[in-house]
């Protein structure tokens, strides 16, 4: 038995080392890809050797002028803020209704809310773009906001529902007994208690909207495209463009996404959300 247990523990140790080796290999390749883009964005020429022949920051200025990044960033900021504001304004009351009320077809509603989050955006993006083109909303910032609201609004509802469920309903009853109306209960009692969840949902929606390529690409034009669409357009549309300028644009996008992700992680722990969902399901 001792020899058998020793061999079993040795196999588990080897399997563990193999898994960690694969993870390290993946992370090493990922870091190499990112570093190559960053280094190339500062390089003058890079045809041989481990490093470019020289370094310069001129490619960032060229990318800013050539791809009109000032206007693109303004559109990106406007679209993301509008999507965050509308999704929170509509999603928080909807999450409260789902958390506090039982009604026929509630499971079906939850399933419908899950579909835009689980399905790849391209599966429903083409029919959605067709509808927006029919109503002459495609090619406008309004159409881009409407397209991004389709996955953002259900995401807010699903994130906020566990936060609402963990608040004791007796708090609302006590406020009503003191003479508070429904609007006052929601604005003065529930919203302050839900502030961490609202911040978490808003920042996560912000990150998702900045990174949403498919839906924005299908409905945007040159004046309403966000940064991610402009990056793909610069990389794959016909024409001669300096690879360093495209890489500089990619570095700007990576820096923006990284900052948003770090800010999001400061407000929300993904494992905490999963634990809250499990507790709510168990109850």
């Amino acid at each position: 038995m001792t020899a058998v247990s020793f061999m079993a523990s040795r196999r588990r140790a080897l399997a563990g080392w193999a898994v960690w080796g694969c993870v390290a290999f993946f992370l090493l390749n990922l870091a190499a890809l990112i570093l190559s883009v960053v280094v190339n964005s500062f390089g003058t020429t890079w045809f041989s050797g481990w490093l470019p022949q020289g370094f310069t920051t001129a490619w960032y200025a060229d990318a800013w002028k050539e791809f009109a990044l000032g206007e693109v960033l303004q559109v990106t900021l406007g679209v993301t803020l509008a999507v965050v504001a509308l999704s929170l304004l509509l999603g928080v009351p909807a999450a409260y209704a789902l958390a506090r009320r039982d009604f026929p077809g509630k499971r079906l509603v939850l399933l419908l809310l899950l579909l835009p989050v689980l399905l790849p955006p391209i599966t429903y993006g083409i029919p959605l773009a067709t509808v927006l083109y029919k109503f002459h909303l495609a090619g406008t910032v309004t159409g881009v906001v409407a397209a991004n609201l389709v996955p953002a609004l259900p995401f807010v509802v699903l994130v906020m529902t566990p936060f609402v469920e963990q608040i004791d309903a007796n708090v609302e009853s006590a406020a009503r007994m003191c003479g508070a109306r429904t609007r006052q209960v929601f604005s003065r009692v529930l919203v302050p208690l839900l502030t961490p969840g609202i911040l978490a949902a808003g920042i996560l929606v912000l990150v998702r909207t900045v990174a949403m390529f498919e839906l924005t690409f299908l409905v945007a034009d040159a004046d309403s495209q966000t940064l991610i669409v402009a990056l793909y357009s610069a990389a794959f549309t016909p024409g001669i463009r300096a690879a360093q300028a495209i890489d500089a644009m990619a570095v700007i996008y990576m820096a923006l996404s990284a900052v948003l992700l770090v800010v999001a992680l400061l407000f929300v722990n993904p494992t905490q959300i999963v634990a809250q969902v499990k507790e709510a399901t168990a109850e």
Side-chain angles (χ1 to χ4, degrees):
M1 292 296 294
T2 304
V4 173
S5 61
F6 174 76
M7 293 298 296
S9 62
R10 186 176 180 180
R11 283 195 297 267
R12 286 194 297 267
L14 291 175
W17 281 108
V19 171
W20 281 111
C22 293
V23 172
F25 180 75
F26 170 77
L27 294 177
L28 181 62
N29 281 272
L30 182 62
L33 289 173
I34 295 175
L35 287 176
S36 65
V37 174
V38 174
V39 172
N40 192 46
S41 67
F42 290 100
T44 53
T45 56
W46 194 3
F47 296 106
S48 62
W50 288 95
L51 293 174
Q53 279 67 38
F55 294 93
T56 179
T57 58
W59 297 115
Y60 285 86
D62 293 343
W64 190 273
K65 295 178 181 179
E66 182 179 357
F67 304 124
L69 291 185
E71 299 177 1
V72 171
L73 288 175
Q74 288 181 2
V75 172
T76 303
L77 181 62
V79 169
T80 51
L81 291 180
V83 171
V84 170
L86 291 174
S87 59
L88 291 177
L89 185 64
L90 300 174
V92 174
Y96 174 79
L98 285 175
R100 290 286 190 259
R101 299 289 184 269
D102 289 326
F103 53 88
K106 182 178 178 179
R107 294 182 178 274
L108 179 60
V109 172
L110 291 173
L111 177 61
L112 293 176
L113 289 173
L114 278 172
L115 290 180
V117 179
L118 296 179
L119 293 177
I122 196 66
T123 57
Y124 57 87
I126 295 177
L128 177 61
T130 303
V131 173
L132 292 177
Y133 273 101
K134 182 177 181 180
F135 289 97
H136 306 287
L137 291 176
T140 64
V141 175
T142 303
V144 175
V145 172
N148 282 275
L149 272 176
V150 173
L153 182 57
F155 181 78
V156 170
V157 175
L158 294 174
V159 170
M160 289 302 303
T161 301
F163 284 95
V164 177
E165 289 176 342
Q166 70 181 359
I167 297 176
D168 193 351
N170 293 328
V171 176
E172 302 174 44
S173 301
R176 296 180 190 277
M177 290 180 61
C178 294
R181 298 181 179 180
T182 302
R183 181 179 299 177
Q184 294 174 327
V185 171
F186 192 81
S187 61
R188 297 186 179 183
V189 178
L190 291 178
V191 170
L193 294 174
L194 292 174
T195 299
I198 293 174
L199 289 174
I203 296 175
L204 290 174
V205 169
L206 185 66
V207 174
R208 287 170 58 91
T209 305
V210 171
M212 180 59 68
F213 168 74
E214 294 90 343
L215 299 181
T216 306
F217 174 76
L218 291 173
V219 299
D221 62 0
D223 297 327
S224 59
Q225 62 182 354
T226 58
L227 182 58
I228 182 65
V229 177
L231 176 59
Y232 273 82
S233 177
F236 296 107
T237 53
I240 300 175
R241 302 175 183 85
Q244 293 92 332
I246 297 176
D247 287 343
M249 189 177 179
V251 171
I252 294 174
Y253 170 74
M254 286 190 297
L256 178 62
S257 301
V259 170
L260 293 176
L261 181 59
V262 170
V263 173
L265 293 176
L266 291 177
F267 288 95
V268 61
N269 186 355
T271 59
Q272 183 180 2
I273 295 179
V274 174
Q276 290 171 347
V277 172
K278 289 182 179 180
E279 291 177 359
T281 305
E283 293 176 357

